[in-house]
Structure formats: C-alpha cells, structure tokens
Amino acid sequence: MTRKKFLAGNWKMQKTRAEASEFFQLFTKILGDLKNVTRVVDVAFGVPATLFDACSTNTAGSGVKILAQNVHFEKQGAFTGELSTGMLADAGLAGSIIGHSERRQYFAENDEAVGKKWNALALRGLLPVVCVGETKAEREQGKTNDVVTKQFEASFAHVSVEARANEFIVAYEPVWAIGTGLTATPEQAEDVHKMIRGLIDKHFGKERAESTRVLYGGSMNALNCAELLQKPNIDGGLIGGASLKPEDFSKMVQAALVAK
Ligand code: PEP
C-alpha cells in the first residue's frame, strides 16, 4: 500500500506573526498553489499558540494542516497555562505533536501523559503525532527497540478502545539526532520504523499498520531527506531547524512529492 507522505515542520518557540506570514508568502511563491501540493503530500506545521491564527489565515483553503506542539488531556478546568483539545479544535487546528523529547526532557512529560493526550485528541477528532525515540546512551547500549516499544506501549495503554479507532501518526525521533546535525542513517531509521510498524500491527492489526504513517525526525534537511524518504517504512518527516526557512522546507516538500 502506498501511504501519502506527511511532512511536518516543528517551529518550537520561534517566529512572530509577521515572520510566519512572510514564511508562507515565500513558501507559496516557491511551491505555487499549495492545494496541488497537499493533494499529493500532507504538509503540516507545529506552531506556538500565538501563531495559530496567523498560520491558519495564511494557509486557509490550501489543505496545509496547522498543529499545536502540546495539549492538555482534560477537557477544561483549573490548569493554568494549558490548552484543551476543544480549544485546538476551536482554533481550527488539525491536531498536535505530543511527547516531543524536549517536552519529555524539560517538562517531565511521561508516557502516561502522552497516552492520555493521544486519547483526548483522538476522541476530539484531532490528529495525535506521537513522538518516540531513544537517547544516545540507550542506542549505544543496544536498547533502542526496547525503549521505543516501551514508550509506544505505555502510552497506548491509556488510549481507549473508542479512541483507538481514530488515526494517529508516530514520529520516530532519536534524541541524539534532534537539533544536533547528526542524522540517523536511512538504514538505522528504517530498522526502527519497521519495528514500529510491527508494534502497530500487533496492537491495531495489519490494515492499520499498513495505513499508519511513521515519520522520521532528527536533523532531517534538504540534503538528506530524499534518501530517507526512499525507505519503504519512512512515510515523511518531523522537521525542526530545516522547517524555519521556506527555501529549505520547500525543497523537502519537493523531495516528498517525487518520493515513491
Ligand atoms: C524536532 O524538533 O522534532 C526535530 C526533529 O528537530 P531538528 O530537525 O532541528 O533536529
């Protein structure tokens, strides 16, 4: 089965509204009508909440998906500083990145919280982009598959039967490759992606395993993305640094457009 490639930028804590508008002006100038692009490749941006409106306005009608970078699993209440899935839906968002390694590292996000967020997003009809990945030490100790399996299964345990029926995306992001300029080789990434597809098969069945997109993230850029995207189990990317400049990110979209 051919899965539609999915390229998502992760802007982290970067850009003002004016900078976001400038980005989309140039991005559109380079790629032309974005509707033609998103018919073939899914394009998404995980952006700070201050940019939800500007990004939605700048991409209206194009099929480009705007994502949050985090969400709370409760519907509402006294959770200062948090946003609910209902708020994301109200802002016109398509979904949220969850479990990013920076949130795990700096904000103590654990697998249980990731699972509850996955559950809340799916029940609200929003797309969870679930990040998993090992540290350098874990890879060196040969624990990559165990770590990724535990992250996936310990999160999945908090996803209700009803929520499991809805689409999700997995982003394999080796921590040692994020923002470091070190990229997993296409073979290293493909091995883990294949293992993740096996996990999806085990818990969701063959059909879902075949249709679920598994993205690679970690210093993916305009030079290395074509090779990564050629691998049979790499269905796209979650891209930090290289998604900030329209000249770079549009090249990656062009590579995804021609990747088989
Ligand atoms: C990320 O933050 O998800 C990421 C992959 O960052 P970078 O592309 O900069 O390594």
Side-chain angles (χ1 to χ4, degrees):
M1 153 177 224
T2 46
R3 291 173 290 273
K4 191 177 181 186
K5 295 271 191 279
F6 193 108
L7 275 200
N10 176 12
W11 282 0
K12 311 193 184 191
M13 196 171 71
Q14 273 144 161
K15 291 198 189 292
T16 61
R17 288 177 301 161
E19 286 165 349
S21 298
E22 244 173 71
F23 176 97
F24 285 113
Q25 266 168 32
L26 191 50
F27 190 63
T28 310
K29 200 169 156 196
I30 299 169
L31 289 173
D33 189 348
L34 294 179
K35 262 189 285 187
N36 294 332
V37 172
T38 58
R39 264 195 277 275
V40 185
V41 172
D42 278 323
V43 179
F45 293 87
V47 305
T50 48
L51 302 182
F52 288 170
D53 210 31
C55 290
S56 297
T57 306
N58 275 286
T59 57
S62 69
V64 167
K65 299 176 199 305
I66 305 302
L67 308 172
Q69 299 172 3
N70 183 34
V71 66
H72 199 280
F73 47 80
E74 292 292 350
K75 284 207 170 82
Q76 60 179 41
F79 300 102
T80 301
E82 295 292 314
L83 299 175
S84 69
T85 55
M87 290 168 177
L88 302 193
D90 184 46
L93 267 59
S96 182
I97 298 167
I98 52 176
H100 191 279
S101 67
E102 286 152 18
R103 294 215 55 88
R104 291 179 190 260
Q105 190 180 344
Y106 305 130
F107 304 98
E109 187 158 330
N110 60 21
D111 296 328
E112 179 179 342
V114 174
K116 288 178 173 174
K117 291 172 185 197
W118 174 351
N119 185 61
L121 285 163
L123 291 178
R124 197 66 180 72
L126 296 169
L127 182 65
V129 179
V130 186
C131 302
V132 293
E134 82 288 0
T135 62
K136 187 165 183 277
E138 288 162 344
R139 173 161 284 266
E140 284 168 357
Q141 290 159 20
K143 292 184 183 160
T144 298
N145 286 0
D146 290 348
V147 168
V148 170
T149 300
K150 191 226 150 220
Q151 287 173 331
F152 183 86
E153 293 188 334
S155 300
F156 168 75
H158 298 276
V159 183
S160 64
V161 172
E162 196 187 345
R164 287 177 196 183
N166 291 347
E167 188 188 2
F168 65 93
I169 283 181
V170 179
Y172 167 57
E173 298 210 304
V175 179
W176 50 271
I178 298 179
T180 57
L182 297 172
T183 316
T185 65
E187 292 70 31
Q188 282 174 323
E190 170 65 13
D191 282 350
V192 183
H193 281 233
K194 205 168 163 190
M195 193 278 297
I196 292 171
R197 201 170 304 288
L199 285 175
I200 302 171
D201 188 344
K202 177 175 161 198
H203 295 289
F204 291 82
K206 194 168 169 11
E207 211 174 294
R208 291 291 295 281
E210 299 251 310
S211 65
T212 299
R213 269 90 54 98
V214 183
L215 316 183
Y216 169 77
S219 299
M220 198 178 189
N221 59 39
L223 295 177
N224 62 27
C225 76
E227 215 188 335
L228 285 156
L229 294 174
Q230 290 307 325
K231 290 290 177 192
N233 286 291
I234 302 182
D235 306 312
L238 181 55
I239 299 123
S243 72
L244 292 170
K245 288 199 187 134
E247 298 88 343
D248 295 338
F249 197 56
S250 56
K251 280 197 192 120
M252 301 175 79
V253 172
Q254 280 159 342
L257 281 169
V258 296
K260 294 280 176 310

